[in-house]
Amino acid sequence: MNQVNLKRLAQELNLSIATVSRALQDSYEVSSQTKERVKALAAELNYEPNAYASSLRRNISKTIGVVVPEVNNHFFSLVINGIEEVAHQSGYHVLIYLTHDDYEREVAITQYLTGGRVDGLLMSVASESQKFAHLQKLYVSKPAIVFFDRVCEAIATANVTTNDYESGYLATRHLIEAGCRHIAYLLVSGNLSIGRIRMQGYQAALRDHGLPYDDTLVVSDDGDDERNTARIMDLLRRRPEVDGIFASVEHLAISSYHACHALGRAIPAEVKIIGFSNLGVAALLAPALTTITQPAYEMGKAAAQILLCAIEKKRAISPGQSLVLKSELFARRSTAS
Amino acid sequence: MNQVNLKRLAQELNLSIATVSRALQDSYEVSSQTKERVKALAAELNYEPNAYASSLRRNISKTIGVVVPEVNNHFFSLVINGIEEVAHQSGYHVLIYLTHDDYEREVAITQYLTGGRVDGLLMSVASESQKFAHLQKLYVSKPAIVFFDRVCEAIATANVTTNDYESGYLATRHLIEAGCRHIAYLLVSGNLSIGRIRMQGYQAALRDHGLPYDDTLVVSDDGDDERNTARIMDLLRRRPEVDGIFASVEHLAISSYHACHALGRAIPAEVKIIGFSNLGVAALLAPALTTITQPAYEMGKAAAQILLCAIEKKRAISPGQSLVLKSELFARRSTAS
DNA sequence: TTTATCTACGTAAACGTTTACATAGCTTCG
DNA sequence: CGAAGCTATGTAAACGTTTACGTAGATAAA
């Protein structure tokens, strides 16, 4: 199985390796006849350049890394779709890494990526990552980084996010206008900026409508769906006056449904639920779920575009290139009054 | 920004590059004191080996490719989860490519991958790929391949699938036992083996229960959700006697729900629906969807294990290593009698 | 005609790693 | 004491590509 490489092509064509290489790159230094000959043989022998040799020599990998907590999640899978779309168009390859919201794992992954394996990185930080030393290290090393949704504020680069404060405010107001007076907040993770910011919107809306903020109505994510459901059930039992739930992340909305079903609380009659979600079947749920939906696909595309643009132009990415896209509120049965 | 590589370490330690390289690999040829010195400095300088140089030299990339139609799909995202889990454990990196069920795109992707970029490949073929020349080419080239779910029968390698015939049979029988007499079949894609095999199970169940097979009750996937819904609505209008729908793939089940809602057909009273699906919220739909659920995560793990085992042992993969996992039927309201 | 410029190609070094081979200094054994 | 073997290290080639530099021949300019 004689590998077909430049040397092989050069031998068969009685040319030097250099000329073959240049011909395949359409260099002006090669005559058009030679180019034709080379390309014909390359096609015939099904020549494909060795990506590693090329990357080593040019110090460019044509590869970007995507680091996300999960892929089995509508938001992230849509983002990946967008990223892959842009990457494919520009001839980039996409390496994917899952942190499972685990700090250790995120550290290990970023360590890999300092080795020049990728030209750039798109990242949504793990919810447990309070420490940023590993990200700093990575940032100081080569690859360009763009954060999306779950950003790392300690690093001066571009972020692609959504209008989380506003969305938190609108979601809460939506519940209030639907008649809710005791609204629970289900928090992603206290050390994630999106959790905090959405919560600030929630608090502001309460204040503006003369409702007290009560931190015993805040339930934070446990990382496990079963346990989350149990926590929510616990809250609903302890505080029977709760008539609204704002889930700051999709799986907490789902857990809320399970909790209400288990306790026999009618949605929306007794408890109204709104949640951040990219669930395609939100409208088919029983009852249809009112969602704040982030433009996940567009976020992926935008983040990838910022990154690839910076890579191609060999320019550093500045925080000024950050983008804030708008989420949309889809009012459905789960918050009907 | 002096890159830290073996040469740099060697200079600072007054050693040769070879010794440093060997020390980092825990070679028995290096004294333990030297190893310590080397490792200490490597850690201090945050040395990370250049993946491309290493891959070039060793002709091993420690990278596998995953080619799937979509990632925004519960089945595939769970599979990817499983794959990533196994890959991560074995220190492999995962490149991901989406075909969007597009033949041209699949060809382009397989072309990339002949270049030795990956040591192996996990693949679910695009539904439109009737021609296998590109896969043959890839197969003849280096990387080991394992297909999962949507296999390419023309290639003699291991496949990881589920008991599709049996599942098709059971799903159909489930509808018949629930009282259905005119069961529509929603086909993934005629040239996909899974579409055919599931359909054979459907036909066999009809036959065994004395029901006629009627190919005008078969609707095939159009690739677009809106149009699929329209097709199903069309069928339901044309053939008002249809009292059961068997969707051989998740998004067709969802489209069936939309179609029934649009036409005001009650599920399950007038039309019962069962579908292949890995939708986490199937039980929360209105009404809860009866599903045949494939063990997607396990399939991903199994496929990756077969692949990585073959790569590490440098052994060819034989069709004999193929695995057939069992899907599970979850009976819910959508097929209640 | 001489010189400069251009065209089309070749030579060889480099990218960072791995590894076959060589070797210098020991130890061991007959 | 010499041969053999071991230990710990160095030398250098190789992986396949890209590219700076060199050059032979042709053409153009002076």
Side-chain angles (χ1 to χ4, degrees), chain A residues 61-324:
Chain A
S61 65
K62 278 272 177 185
T63 302
I64 61 173
V66 175
V67 182
V68 290
E70 295 284 348
V71 66
N72 186 40
N73 168 310
H74 300 81
F75 173 73
F76 289 116
S77 59
L78 278 169
V79 169
I80 291 170
N81 238 326
I83 292 170
E84 211 270 348
E85 184 63 32
V86 173
H88 178 80
Q89 276 170 16
S90 307
Y92 275 75
H93 299 253
V94 178
L95 276 170
I96 196 157
Y97 299 92
L98 309 181
T99 63
H100 298 286
D101 274 331
D102 178 42
Y103 175 70
E104 305 294 337
R105 200 135 166 181
E106 185 169 291
V107 172
I109 290 165
T110 52
Q111 183 65 26
Y112 290 151
L113 295 175
T114 54
R117 192 180 285 270
V118 296
D119 296 335
L121 204 54
L122 293 168
M123 193 162 179
S124 216
V125 303
S127 66
E128 296 187 352
S129 304
Q130 317 88 320
K131 299 180 213 135
F132 302 126
H134 61 298
L135 297 176
Q136 293 278 14
K137 243 192 232 173
L138 184 61
Y139 181 60
V140 170
S141 139
K142 211 190 65 173
I145 308 183
V146 173
F147 291 100
F148 61 90
D149 199 50
R150 304 179 172 198
V151 308
C152 174
E153 291 153 330
I155 301 212
T157 186
N159 297 324
V160 174
T161 52
T162 49
N163 56 341
D164 284 312
Y165 177 86
E166 195 182 333
S167 299
Y169 188 96
L170 290 178
T172 310
R173 196 178 69 186
H174 181 78
L175 287 174
I176 295 171
E177 287 173 351
C180 299
R181 288 299 170 266
H182 302 92
I183 301 174
Y185 182 82
L186 309 185
L187 178 65
V188 184
S189 166
N191 37 46
L192 267 182
S193 58
I194 56 165
R196 282 204 317 278
I197 296 176
R198 290 172 187 177
M199 187 155 162
Q200 286 163 11
Y202 159 76
Q203 293 168 322
L206 291 180
R207 194 184 331 110
D208 288 357
H209 292 81
L211 294 175
Y213 165 67
D214 178 354
D215 62 8
T216 61
L217 290 184
V218 174
V219 175
S220 64
D221 190 356
D222 178 79
D224 176 83
D225 284 342
E226 305 269 333
R227 287 201 297 270
N228 282 332
T229 302
R231 283 191 185 195
I232 297 166
M233 286 173 66
D234 190 48
L235 172 71
L236 291 175
R237 265 193 295 247
R238 266 188 5 247
R239 307 293 296 270
E241 74 273 24
V242 167
D243 52 7
I245 296 180
F246 175 14
S248 66
V249 70
E250 182 174 291
H251 65 261
L252 290 175
I254 304 302
S255 285
S256 302
Y257 267 53
H258 286 298
C260 287
H261 288 184
L263 294 176
R265 301 282 175 96
I267 311 171
E270 296 174 70
V271 180
K272 303 190 200 309
I273 300 181
I274 188 171
F276 273 82
S277 169
N278 284 85
L279 197 56
V281 295
L284 293 180
L285 293 187
L289 173 65
T290 295
T291 62
I292 307 276
T293 299
Q294 297 176 278
Y297 181 76
E298 287 73 20
M299 287 175 79
K301 283 186 73 167
Q305 273 157 359
I306 293 172
L307 183 70
L308 292 188
C309 178
I311 292 172
E312 303 264 280
K313 297 191 180 158
K314 295 177 189 301
R315 268 213 324 242
I317 300 177
S318 79
Q321 294 175 260
S322 291
L323 233 49
V324 179

Side-chain angles (χ1 to χ4, degrees), chain A residues 5-6 18 21 47 53 57-58:
Chain A
N5 50 25
L6 290 183
S21 172
Y47 167 75
R57 176 57 222 252
R58 302 179 47 193

Side-chain angles (χ1 to χ4, degrees), chain B residues 118-122 141-146 157 307 310-311 315 317:
Chain B
V118 296
D119 296 335
L121 204 53
L122 293 167
S141 136
K142 211 190 61 174
I145 309 183
V146 173
T157 186
L307 183 71
I311 291 172
R315 268 211 324 239
I317 300 176

